[in-house]
Amino acid sequence: APTTAPSLPPTLPPTDIPTTAPTLPPTQFPTAAPTAAPVGVPFDSGVVENGGFESGTTGWYGNWGASQISISSTVSHSGSSSVLVEGRTSGWQGIAQDMLSKMIPGVTYEVSAWVKLANAISDTFILTFRQVDGAGTSYDNVGRIVTANDSSWTQVKSEFTLDVSGTLTELILYAEGPAAGVGFYLDDVSVVVVGTESPTTSPPTQSPTTSVPTERPTNAPTTAPS
């Protein structure tokens, strides 16, 4: 046997503890709060009063005849309400709002509305301005006539420039088009400024792309009947 201890100690067995901390597993939760879900942008009706019908029928009336308007809380394009128009005995009858003090001659607006039929599979629909000024009475359709249906919402949308000859004495926006007896829901009506133009002479009355009711009222109230 050797008479002296070895000059070097024996090799130590491997340690069970790592010399550095292991990489931590991914955390199950984000370290920072996630970005909040975007809040819905409120509907902008522009110069239209109560365009989303969230304040009942304020600002609106059944135009020139037997039209009956009521709020629906079960059918809506956005928000919680729309308006139901029924009891119509002519194609041009519907729902209207006085725009005389709200729109400015020479200014261009984007006009839009959403419609859904209540008791017909499909029918035509259009928004119209009735305008009375120095050139007389005119009926200007907003964009093209659309075909509405009872299963989904249909939008009518177009730009409209208010051209006036002489003094503007009446300006009414109204919804029309479906045949007599056809009811419809209307929602999210808006008239929003998109630009300005210098007033020009009155253009010719716009010709629709498809037929619209030819019968028009000779006199029209600008406010809801008392």
Side-chain angles (χ1 to χ4, degrees):
T3 58
T4 61
S7 58
L8 294 175
T11 303
L12 296 176
T15 179
D16 293 334
I17 303 174
T19 56
T20 58
T23 303
L24 294 177
T27 178
Q28 296 179 353
F29 301 97
T31 56
T35 304
V39 178
V41 178
F43 169 68
D44 179 14
S45 61
V47 298
V48 172
E49 181 181 2
N50 187 31
F53 301 97
E54 301 302 318
S55 298
T57 57
T58 300
W60 298 92
Y61 61 94
N63 63 326
W64 317 310
S67 296
Q68 301 169 3
I69 62 174
S70 60
I71 292 300
S72 170
S73 58
T74 58
V75 178
S76 66
H77 177 257
S78 72
S80 60
S81 303
S82 69
V83 68
L84 172 61
V85 183
E86 53 190 347
R88 302 168 58 252
T89 58
S90 296
W92 50 263
Q93 292 176 347
I95 184 171
Q97 183 168 141
D98 178 19
M99 304 298 291
L100 182 61
S101 61
K102 302 168 185 174
M103 298 177 67
I104 302 171
V107 174
T108 299
Y109 299 84
E110 183 178 81
V111 184
S112 174
W114 292 82
V115 62
K116 184 177 182 180
L117 299 184
N119 59 343
I121 296 175
S122 67
D123 210 329
T124 57
F125 178 83
I126 191 68
L127 293 177
T128 301
F129 281 102
R130 172 186 162 107
Q131 178 175 330
V132 180
D133 58 17
T137 301
S138 62
Y139 296 88
D140 297 311
N141 297 138
V142 177
R144 292 179 175 271
I145 296 171
V146 299
T147 300
N149 62 77
D150 63 350
S151 61
S152 61
W153 288 92
T154 302
Q155 184 182 29
V156 55
K157 178 180 178 181
S158 184
E159 291 189 359
F160 173 81
T161 301
L162 179 56
D163 291 309
V164 175
S165 176
T167 302
L168 181 66
T169 58
E170 184 178 296
L171 185 65
I172 298 174
L173 174 65
Y174 66 100
E176 63 169 329
V182 176
F184 60 86
Y185 298 95
L186 189 69
D187 202 4
D188 292 345
V189 184
S190 63
V191 177
V192 180
V193 176
V194 294
T196 58
E197 298 178 4
S198 299
T200 60
T201 56
S202 297
T205 301
Q206 178 183 347
S207 299
T209 56
T210 59
S211 61
V212 294
T214 56
E215 179 186 2
R216 302 286 186 173
T218 56
N219 294 294
T222 57
T223 58
S226 58

